[in-house]
Amino acid sequence: MLTVIALGRLKEPFYLQAAAEYEKRMRAFGGVKLLELPEARLPDDPSPAQVSAALKKEAETVRQHLPKNAWLCVLAPEGKLMDSEALAHTLEAVRLRGKSDLVFLIGSSFGLDPALKRQGDLLLSMSPMTF
């Protein structure tokens, strides 16, 4: 099963329609589950300590929803750059190693807790990728 965990909610109609279309397309490959978790509430101008505490709280929420023994791909700007073909080969290798649960994690507006990033099996940047 492929799960996408996102901190925050899709709000724009265009993104909601795109997500529904991708879910429909993925049914042929075993389906995809989108899990939107709430972002931690922060004041308008949070201090670094407040941001850090919020990210730790979000990380705990994410960990509660991770399938046991799932392969975790954390999406972050500083992650590894891969084209679509390289990502497909990576996912195939993961499947051949017996991992049936794949999770892609998208952080909140302030990113992700550093410990949660280190927990991932792959830190991936999708900035210049083309699908």
Side-chain angles (χ1 to χ4, degrees):
M1 170 60 97
L2 174 64
T3 303
V4 177
I5 297 176
L7 287 155
R9 299 192 64 76
L10 291 175
K11 297 174 187 158
E12 298 295 327
F14 170 80
Y15 293 122
L16 290 167
Q17 291 171 349
E21 178 63 24
Y22 283 113
E23 278 187 79
K24 184 173 86 176
R25 291 179 185 190
M26 290 299 294
R27 283 187 200 128
F29 302 100
V32 63
K33 177 176 148 185
L34 174 61
L35 180 59
E36 295 173 314
L37 300 177
E39 287 184 82
R41 292 239 184 235
L42 285 167
D44 287 338
D45 189 20
S47 71
Q50 289 171 314
V51 170
S52 179
L55 293 178
K56 286 183 190 316
K57 182 179 177 182
E58 290 173 353
E60 286 306 313
T61 302
V62 167
R63 287 185 184 103
Q64 291 172 7
H65 289 87
L66 288 175
K68 189 175 183 172
N69 298 318
W71 180 83
L72 177 61
C73 179
V74 178
L75 303 174
E78 71 274 18
K80 181 178 181 178
L81 296 172
M82 289 182 154
D83 61 20
S84 299
E85 190 174 321
L87 180 58
H89 287 298
T90 298
L91 296 178
E92 181 63 22
V94 169
R95 292 267 188 195
L96 290 174
R97 288 194 311 262
K99 293 283 187 173
S100 58
D101 288 319
L102 308 176
V103 176
F104 286 81
L105 175 61
I106 303 168
S108 65
S109 55
F110 284 96
L112 289 164
D113 180 63
L116 189 56
K117 287 181 185 181
R118 289 189 299 272
Q119 185 177 335
D121 296 291
L122 174 64
L123 190 63
L124 179 67
S125 175
M126 294 185 68
S127 298
M129 290 180 76
T130 305
F131 289 96

